[in-house]
Amino acid sequence: MSFSKNFLWGGATAANQVEGGWQEGGKGVSVSDVICLSSHGSPRVISLDLSEQCYYPSHKASESYYRFREDIALFAEIGFKMYRFSIAWTRIFPNGDEEEPNEEGLKYYDELFKELKKYNIAPLVTIQHNELPLNLAKKFNGWASREMIDCYLKLCNVLFKRYKDYVTYWIPFNEINDLGFPVGLYLHGGIIPDGLRYCSNGREVDSPQLRYQALHHVMVAAAKAVELGKKINPNFQFGHMTCHITQYPLTCNPDDILLTQQQDLVRNCFCSDVQFYGEYPYYIKRYFADNNINVEITEDDRRILKDNPHDFYSFSYYMSICVSSNPDAAQTSGNVMGGASNPYLDVSEWEWQIDPKGLRYTLNKVYDRYHVPVMITENGLGARDELIDGKVHDPYRIDYMRKHIEQMREAINDGVELIGYTPWGCIDLVAASTGQMSKRYGFIYVDADDYGAGTYKRYRKDSFYWYQKAIASNGEDLK
Ligand code: BG6
């Protein structure tokens, strides 16, 4: 067995990290537009009124807003069958609370969809990827308020009706479990508590109570989106999307084993359990009680969650961590959270542990739990690249990808129903954790530095040709 002949090979981006053009076509300001550039290890400062003297990476990003035709032509040249991207909410409803959508914003996406269709590339649309209108964050304290559900459904209604003939696969929320981590409070939840200044892991303020109430509203909104979408087009497929932080016990000490199990359930399984089984799982009650969290859930919420499960499971996978009950265990960094370091694994320059076999382990774990089709909607290596004479030699990225694809094949042989793979940042874009352009994931190099200086010309990296061959051979030729 190997990859099915309809396997969805592709790549992924998000509007706030790739588009730029932050004030074009009537676009409003999103929560991402007011976050400054930082570097590895320093938190990103949030400047709600843009007063801080800093560089705001989302304003230019990769300038795909101006170059999307060229970018899509390059994706087609690689051989993409699927392109995952997000729709910037603030292009459609600039402040989030207008009655009517912004036609100019919709026209931009009309063109993007047409361009994809021209090359037979299936869109995988993320409806919300850190792009909440800043106005809604200020007005309602973001998803902490139930009012957000209607604002979000108004957006869904417009998108589902307008693009019903273009799209089959939707992801209502990127990394829905991000609200389970402090980093999700502002970026995902649009929650602005007093004193908010930082949005990455070192942030100063947190409110688990607000985060989990917000997460509840998000999950109800996602279920309502499924309900609405299936009425508009019964063929729509909705994907749960989790930031899967794969965790291993550092030792066989039962304390490590128990801690790993508890963290895995709360961090990785909670949202998908709700979205596939339609109710809050037993273990979350104790977590809420231990952390003084009291989530308000109505009878109607319970019905909506029960009646509208998602269709497929998708996740981002970059790295794994270890869990240790020993506070002195050596630590490593990671996506949304770090953990104890694993002596068997190498790390990237940003200290994310590289663990291809962890991908096979994770695929088996999630398929065993839900038995629904699975997509890997983010994966990749953030690394520095050098452009020399128009070329970028990136053997480290090829090595990372090869080893992960080999493990995907193993998982398929294990029996996992893996249907798609959209590696992250298929074209270089600005990083979410730091805003750096120099943390590159792409097969396509974008000539710009961290401060937005450069020609923004696109160049094919060595990995571009490698991935092209991998797709052409349906995952067989990974040399
Ligand atoms: C995921 C996000 O958590 O990780 C992306 O969905 C993000 O938006 C990706 O870009 C990689 O993280 P970073 O910080 O390297 O961009």
Side-chain angles (χ1 to χ4, degrees):
M1 275 201 294
S2 198
F3 295 95
S4 75
K5 69 175 191 326
N6 299 324
F7 191 80
L8 295 163
W9 298 99
T13 63
N16 73 91
Q17 293 174 258
V18 80
E19 283 182 1
W22 75 296
Q23 289 182 308
E24 294 285 356
K27 181 183 171 300
V29 181
S30 81
V31 291
S32 286
D33 290 332
V34 298
I35 311 180
C36 301
L37 171 70
S38 77
S39 56
H40 178 45
S42 341
R44 295 187 69 183
V45 171
I46 296 165
S47 180
L48 293 174
D49 52 5
L50 290 164
S51 59
E52 200 85 24
Q53 295 298 307
C54 71
Y55 180 71
Y56 296 94
S58 72
H59 295 191
K60 283 179 99 174
S62 310
E63 298 210 325
S64 282
Y65 181 81
Y66 309 100
R67 294 171 175 260
F68 70 92
R69 288 197 170 80
E70 181 186 351
D71 295 347
I72 291 172
L74 285 165
F75 299 155
E77 191 181 324
I78 300 181
F80 279 17
K81 317 279 182 233
M82 172 168 266
Y83 175 45
R84 173 181 176 224
F85 60 97
S86 70
I87 292 200
W89 188 335
T90 50
R91 290 202 191 282
I92 314 301
F93 289 100
N95 290 310
D97 54 4
E98 295 87 350
E99 285 302 316
E100 296 300 323
N102 170 32
E103 192 53 33
E104 232 184 311
L106 285 164
K107 285 209 170 102
Y108 167 68
Y109 291 108
D110 292 350
E111 294 307 308
L112 200 146
F113 279 114
K114 280 188 209 150
E115 207 62 19
L116 289 171
K117 198 170 176 143
K118 187 161 117 190
Y119 296 104
N120 251 327
I121 299 175
L124 169 58
V125 181
T126 314
I127 300 172
Q128 159 62 342
H129 193 135
N130 305 340
E131 281 132 9
L132 191 79
L134 186 63
N135 173 55
L136 295 183
K138 289 182 173 166
K139 187 168 168 183
F140 297 130
N141 211 14
W143 284 99
S145 161
R146 196 169 265 278
E147 313 260 5
M148 284 296 300
I149 299 176
D150 285 345
C151 299
Y152 174 80
L153 285 173
K154 194 169 53 173
L155 171 71
C156 291
N157 190 39
V158 169
L159 300 182
F160 293 163
K161 287 188 173 145
R162 184 125 171 170
Y163 302 121
K164 66 178 184 320
D165 299 328
Y166 284 95
V167 185
T168 301
Y169 297 101
W170 300 91
I171 291 178
F173 290 90
N174 177 60
E175 295 187 342
I176 191 158
N177 62 330
D178 280 359
L179 269 164
F181 304 87
V183 65
L185 184 83
Y186 170 77
L187 202 56
H188 194 102
I191 298 169
I192 311 180
D194 285 348
L196 178 76
R197 239 182 103 65
Y198 299 118
C199 84
S200 48
N201 289 341
R203 44 160 310 105
E204 284 174 329
V205 281
D206 185 24
S207 167
Q209 168 61 36
L210 285 181
R211 273 197 282 115
Y212 277 94
Q213 185 63 60
L215 180 53
H216 176 69
H217 295 146
V218 164
M219 291 195 288
V220 171
K224 285 190 161 192
V226 173
E227 188 175 49
L228 175 71
K230 300 261 180 188
K231 278 189 197 140
I232 294 172
N233 182 347
N235 293 327
F236 282 170
Q237 296 291 296
F238 288 91
H240 162 85
M241 160 51 168
T242 268
C243 176
H244 199 286
I245 305 290
T246 299
Q247 333 212 343
Y248 309 130
L250 184 63
T251 71
C252 51
N253 177 339
D255 286 340
D256 288 1
I257 309 277
L258 265 178
L259 201 57
T260 309
Q261 185 181 48
Q262 285 161 355
Q263 283 204 17
D264 179 52
L265 288 171
V266 173
R267 308 280 202 205
N268 292 323
C269 303
F270 169 51
C271 297
S272 38
D273 282 354
V274 174
Q275 295 200 305
F276 289 107
Y277 300 141
E279 58 192 44
Y280 273 45
Y282 73 92
Y283 53 81
I284 206 68
K285 295 194 183 83
R286 169 130 192 211
Y287 180 78
F288 284 176
D290 289 352
N291 291 280
N292 289 324
I293 297 167
N294 194 359
V295 176
E296 192 186 292
I297 306 176
T298 68
E299 275 317 303
D300 207 34
D301 293 347
R302 288 187 207 282
R303 182 200 57 80
I304 286 156
L305 292 173
K306 194 79 201 167
D307 291 351
N308 299 287
H310 283 48
D311 300 297
F312 64 96
Y313 182 100
S314 77
F315 66 110
S316 55
Y317 177 86
Y318 294 91
M319 29 72 61
S320 64
I321 53 167
C322 287
V323 178
S324 171
S325 50
N326 172 6
D328 299 327
Q331 296 291 302
T332 186
S333 180
N335 194 8
V336 305
M337 74 179 277
S341 28
N342 186 331
Y344 298 99
L345 298 178
D346 291 333
V347 289
S348 77
E349 189 185 325
W350 280 262
E351 286 179 80
W352 293 18
Q353 297 186 145
I354 300 171
D355 183 13
K357 287 187 177 150
L359 179 57
R360 176 180 177 188
Y361 167 83
T362 308
L363 283 164
N364 275 281
K365 179 195 149 205
V366 302
Y367 189 63
D368 181 42
R369 201 170 177 96
Y370 303 113
H371 286 280
V372 292
V374 181
M375 269 196 219
I376 302 160
T377 43
E378 287 187 32
N379 170 242
L381 178 71
R384 268 175 224 286
D385 292 327
E386 247 190 309
L387 179 70
I388 302 169
D389 297 333
K391 297 203 180 331
V392 176
H393 302 302
D394 55 348
Y396 35 88
R397 184 166 295 107
I398 293 174
D399 189 54
Y400 179 103
M401 302 286 304
R402 176 191 297 121
K403 288 179 175 151
H404 282 78
I405 294 176
E406 280 168 0
Q407 293 304 315
M408 284 158 47
R409 194 195 293 142
E410 290 297 329
I412 291 171
N413 282 324
D414 293 337
V416 175
E417 195 187 344
L418 179 63
I419 60 168
Y421 180 55
T422 56
W424 179 247
C426 45
I427 179 164
D428 289 346
L429 39 66
V430 294
S433 53
T434 58
Q436 291 169 298
M437 176 62 89
S438 52
K439 187 182 186 190
R440 297 173 184 273
Y441 287 88
F443 307 112
I444 300 161
Y445 184 91
V446 174
D447 177 32
D449 70 11
D450 286 347
Y451 292 90
T455 62
Y456 282 82
K457 263 185 77 175
R458 277 56 172 149
Y459 294 89
R460 295 165 183 81
K461 303 183 192 177
D462 287 356
S463 56
F464 179 102
Y465 300 105
W466 177 85
Y467 194 37
Q468 189 180 51
K469 240 178 0 144
I471 296 179
S473 63
N474 202 24
E476 292 303 318
D477 184 356
L478 302 178
K479 283 190 299 294

